[in-house]
Every structure is written in C-alpha cells, then in structure tokens.
Amino acid sequence: MLEAIQRTGRQAFAFVENAFDAAFGPRINPFYHLGALSFFFFWVVTASGIYLFIFFETSIEGAYRSVEYLTHSQWYLGGVARSLHRYASDAMVVVVLLHLVREFVLDRYRGVRWYAWITGVMLLWFLYASGIGGYWLVWDRLAQYIAVVTAEWLDWLPIFSESIARNFLNSATVSDRFFSLLSFMHIGIPLFLLLGMWIHIQRISRAKTNPPRAIMIGTLTALTALSLVYPALSQGPADLDTVVGVVQPDWFYLMLYPLIDVWSPGAVWAIAGGGTLLLMILPWLPRRQEAAAAVVSLANCNGCGRCFADCPYSAVIIQPRTDGLPYESEASVNPDLCTACGICAGACPTATPFRRTTELVAGIDMPLLPVREIRQRTLDAMMGLSGNDRVLVYGCHSSGNLASLETSGVGVVALPCVGALPPAFIDFVVTRRHADGVMLVGCAAGDCYHRLGVEWMEQRLAGQRDPYLRGRVSRDRIATVWVAPSGAALLMRELEAFRARLREMGPYQKGGGLPPSSAPPDPNQDEARDVSYRMG
C-alpha cells in the first residue's frame, strides 16, 4: 500500500518536474529547491513584517486603522509590503508541504534521515501558528472569526483553568494589552520557527538555504506583481458585539477552521494530532534496513580529510590518530548518520584501480561495494565489449533501469551514487583502452538522491575538487547525463549520440601518437600511475 502511494506520487512529481525541466532547465527547477525556497520565503516575510511593524499600532482601535493606512494611503510601499507578507507566507506553506510530500514519495525520510523528517513535521505547527497569529493582528472580521474559533478549539483541551472564548464575548472583554500580547507572540513564534529550521538542517552537511539567484529573482518578481495586481485587503473592522457572517479565509492556513464549525473541536484535534502522530512514525512504517556504513582502514588512511569534506550527512569526522602511524589525524565514521552513499570512498585518493601489486583497500570504503569490487565489476563489464564505440556506463541506482542500456558495445556498473566513483576509474578505463568512452549517469542536476554526488563529480571532472580527474584523460571521451528515473528515453538518446561521437573520433591515441592496437592491454601493469592519485 505504502509503496503504491509512493510510486503514484513519484509519477505525478516526475510529470510536473519534467515540464519545469523543459521550461527552465534542471538547475533552476524550483521543485529541486523546495527546502531552500522555504528559507527564502521566510526572509521575505521577515523583511516585509519589519516594515509593517514600524507603522503598526498595538491597540484595539489602532490595529485595524494602521493596517488600513498601510494598505490604502501608503499602497506603494505599505500596501505592497502587506501583500508580500501575505503571499510569501502562503508560498512558504505551499513549498513546505510540497517538500514534505516529495521527500516522502522519493523515500528520503526513513533510515538515518528520520531526524530531518521528524524535526520538519514539528515545524509545521510553528509555521501555522505564526501565520494564524498574523491574521489576528489585522483585527478585521476574518481576525474576529479566527480569534473566536481558535479560542473554542483551545478550550476543548483540559489544560486551561478558565475559558479562553470568554475573552471574546463582546467588545468590552478585549483590551489593548491583548494586542501587545499578540504582537509579542507574532514575533516570538517565528523566532522559534527559525530556530527549528536551523535544528532541522543540523545533520545535513552543506545544507542549501538559498535557492539559485534566478529562482529568487523570479519568485520575488512574481510575488511583487501579484501584490500590485491583487493586493491583500481587510474584510471590515472587527465587532465583537455582532456575529461574523461570511468571511473569505486564507485556505492555505485556515483549511481546518470550517471543520471546527461543522464537526467539533475534539474531532479537529483528532485530525490534527492524529495526522501529526502518523507523520512522526512514518519513518518506521516499515523500518528501512540501511546498508552497512562506511568503514575506515587506518593502514591506508593518512587523515587527508577529503572524505570528511565530501560527506553529505556529516557522518565522517576527523579525529586525532589512534594507531601510532606518523600522521596527525584519521577519519572515523558515525554509522548512525551514514546512508551508505559511497561518496566518501569516491573522494579517497587511495581508491584507485591502478593498484595491482598490493591489495586494493581504500582508506575509507563501503563493505557491500568496496572499491576492489567496483574494479572487478568494471573489468567484467568491459570484457565482452566489441566495436569502436565501446562505452562503459557508471550510474547510480536512482537513475532508473541501467541494465536496459547493456548491449554488445555498452557495459554497465551500478553504484549507490555517481559520486561514489573515484575519478581514477575513468582514467583506468580510457587510457588503458578498456573502452572507447565513459558515460556517467546520475540524478537530475540539483536533485541528487544523496544531495551532493552529482555536484562533487562535476567538480572532480573539472579539476576543481580533489581527487580530480587528471588532464591526460580526454574530456571528449566522457559524457555526463544527469537525468530523473523517468528520463529513460533521454538517457538512451544521449548514449547513442555519445557512441556516434566516439566512432567519429576513432580509437584512443595516447599522447597524440598513432592509434594503438585495438586489443585491450593487460591490466597487470606497474603502479606508477597509482602514485599520482594516492599522493594528490
């Protein structure tokens, strides 16, 4: 049942995301930056809120009057700021809920990722409390409706000695101090929300809290245009001596309020509390069995720190040396944080296939797919390849059905993440002519399942990140395809186009010399090339 829901959800998101990819390109597809967009909208709400607060009067009569002044008399600044405040708040709800649903359908919430999921679910309460509290401050008919219904909803809980709803029986029961309290709460709750957002990303290395500049400019422009065309307006002054009849609620924040009227406060508490509890226990329904965490071989680790720098989840730490070898530090893995993505092994300079006279054991490696196994699978995949357009595909499990690419001229080696591939393997395949070219297949740009695998691989290929691919490897013989699982047709087209380019280039020529024999050389050669990768 759960898998069927996730599968349907993935298909729905893939359909929408493919459309956005076609329109904007994957690097600025907003669906790949939902978490960062929530931070951006928070700052838009904060900046506009600060401006509004300068003119806001914390009194019964002054609250509505000051908001109306901002909306109409100062429409060019205050009115736009009020509308931005409203629409950015709504947008934050939308991206947060989309972020939650997307992480669920992509199965990015179980295992070691439970922490981010649980803290994210808890933030929903602070988000809604912040937005609903803001509507009270306007003190119009909608605010009156919200105040009365919220009080009745809270009164159902057996934690208050007196009824909260009694404070809204008539105009005489509400004082100016009430608005001072509301102002304090509307500042305090968002601060707790911001603290929670900071806690939410603590187990994520290099968390991206700013979306790409193009997305920020585009969304801010759209919100500003919406604010000018359809400004946020009040719904008449509140009057506790009369009963509110018809209001126009903000459905992004107030979707449960009509249910309180139709059903009962207890029923809505059951929905809200039960829904929260269900979301909180989802990571263990069922519990996912994580692959074995990375392990460190101190005999092959010099404490260079590259695995620590590249780990997407802060699972690798650098600590003082414990084995007496003449190095200052060593790597250590926290298995409770490791997702077994293998990116750390891909960053290790000792993870090179050129080693033959000594056992191939990397300084940090994956027990279920060690580097020596990747080397063996590489040799096995290339053994039966034929033609002058032989391609070895290294691809991550999240990129779809890679096995369907295999032919007499195409071999495939599957990895937990494309970032788990040490660049020395590309050198090994191309310069030793085991294949005519290497294709790297990973998740869509900006949407790596393990967050940073695609980005790190791009930087390694460009020589911007250690361990980098050496310059002697012709980049014309390397193709990268970053594609979602639904992009099988695109992947096949890119593969065929790459093979056509390889046929035009002809066999690999070392150092610009004559074409060598088409027969692949014996892999049992000296380790001279290994030294350059191991020593950086």
Side-chain angles (χ1 to χ4, degrees), residues 13-23 29 32 484 486-487:
F13 272 100
F15 177 80
V16 177
E17 289 167 6
N18 288 341
F20 275 82
D21 281 345
N29 187 331
Y32 302 156
S486 60

Side-chain angles (χ1 to χ4, degrees), residues 274-360:
T276 301
L277 179 61
L278 176 61
L279 290 174
M280 296 279 276
I281 64 176
L282 264 183
W284 297 274
L285 295 177
R287 184 183 182 89
R288 182 168 67 185
Q289 295 298 320
E290 291 284 1
V295 293
V296 176
S297 171
L298 291 182
N300 294 279
C301 174
N302 63 5
C304 68
R306 291 171 185 168
C307 53
F308 165 76
D310 282 11
C311 179
Y313 301 100
S314 301
V316 182
I317 61 173
I318 297 297
Q319 62 185 22
R321 202 76 191 186
T322 61
D323 61 353
L325 289 181
Y327 302 107
E328 293 184 359
S329 57
E330 66 185 34
S332 179
V333 178
N334 182 350
D336 292 333
L337 300 180
C338 181
T339 64
C341 64
I343 292 177
C344 56
C348 184
T350 65
T352 167
F354 290 111
R355 293 169 59 184
R356 293 294 294 177
T357 59
T358 59
E359 183 182 9
L360 178 49

Side-chain angles (χ1 to χ4, degrees), residues 82-156:
R82 179 191 178 183
S83 298
L84 272 178
H85 196 71
R86 156 77 182 276
Y87 295 135
S89 299
D90 290 344
M92 186 173 179
V93 170
V94 172
V95 297
V96 166
L97 293 180
L98 282 174
H99 183 51
L100 182 143
V101 174
R102 190 171 186 272
E103 295 303 291
F104 167 72
V105 300
L106 294 179
D107 201 20
R108 297 177 179 173
Y109 66 98
R110 294 189 294 162
V112 301
R113 303 191 192 209
W114 69 267
Y115 178 87
W117 177 267
I118 293 295
T119 54
V121 171
M122 295 171 62
L123 288 176
L124 290 175
W125 285 88
F126 289 98
L127 175 60
Y128 276 94
S130 298
I132 293 171
Y135 275 104
W136 285 37
L137 291 174
V138 179
W139 205 233
D140 60 354
R141 302 289 283 178
L142 178 60
Q144 179 182 340
Y145 166 77
I146 295 173
V148 172
V149 176
T150 302
E152 293 174 349
W153 194 42
L154 293 175
D155 279 343
W156 186 87

Side-chain angles (χ1 to χ4, degrees), residues 145 149-150 152-153 256-265 268-269:
Y145 166 77
V149 176
T150 302
E152 293 174 349
W153 194 42
L256 291 180
Y257 274 68
L259 297 180
I260 299 176
D261 292 331
V262 176
W263 295 344
S264 68
V268 177
W269 273 117

